[in-house]
Amino acid sequence: QVQLDESGGGLVQAGGSLRLSCAASGRTFSSYAMGWFRQAPGKERENVAAISRSGRHTYSADSVKGRFTISRDNAKNTVDLQMNAMKPEDTAVYYCAADLRSVPWAVVTDMASYDYWGQGTQVTVSS
């Protein structure tokens, strides 16, 4: 069993920055890949960024590339999402997720591959 708790959401003006953090507990953090997803009202949940077990390999969706950065600290059991140059279209509920079954070097973007999810944190970007 893995528990995931997101924090850091809130209201920010367009062009501003936020940093989301996800704290994991329950199993060895370095044994699973992590991802950040978001879901806007009326839209499907989408992958924003993902990171391999070691943190050596990362992925960012085209919509956030160059603006969002995913990172992890296996000593602190946390995965962060630094969001810069934010846009109103970034408004969504953001979720972190854990994939326990991928190979060590994998960066997982498929939502169906993830085993555990956090409760989500709201991010609102005003224009």
Side-chain angles (χ1 to χ4, degrees):
Q1 189 76 8
V2 173
Q3 291 79 44
L4 302 172
D5 293 307
E6 301 101 336
S7 61
L11 174 65
V12 63
Q13 289 189 333
S17 298
L18 278 178
R19 188 176 183 88
L20 304 183
S21 187
C22 174
S25 61
R27 293 185 65 167
T28 303
F29 184 64
S30 59
S31 67
Y32 41 91
M34 296 294 296
W36 282 98
F37 291 77
R38 68 184 180 187
Q39 187 166 19
K43 294 188 177 181
E44 294 185 352
R45 192 171 298 189
E46 62 175 352
N47 180 235
V48 173
I51 192 166
S52 63
R53 296 184 188 183
S54 67
R56 181 174 299 178
H57 305 288
T58 62
Y59 163 85
S60 297
D62 287 343
S63 58
V64 305
K65 195 164 292 184
R67 301 188 298 120
F68 291 12
T69 302
I70 188 171
S71 62
R72 68 189 293 163
D73 187 333
N74 286 349
K76 295 182 178 179
N77 293 355
T78 58
V79 58
D80 291 348
L81 185 68
Q82 177 66 44
M83 304 185 291
N84 299 327
M86 297 188 72
K87 305 175 181 180
E89 50 263 44
D90 295 322
T91 295
V93 178
Y94 283 71
Y95 301 87
C96 69
D99 171 14
L100 276 64
R101 296 168 286 167
S102 61
V103 296
W105 56 87
V107 175
V108 183
T109 61
D110 181 7
M111 185 170 62
S113 296
Y114 282 86
D115 304 291
Y116 295 96
W117 294 81
Q119 78 287 352
T121 185
Q122 176 70 47
V123 171
T124 303
V125 185
S126 63
S127 56

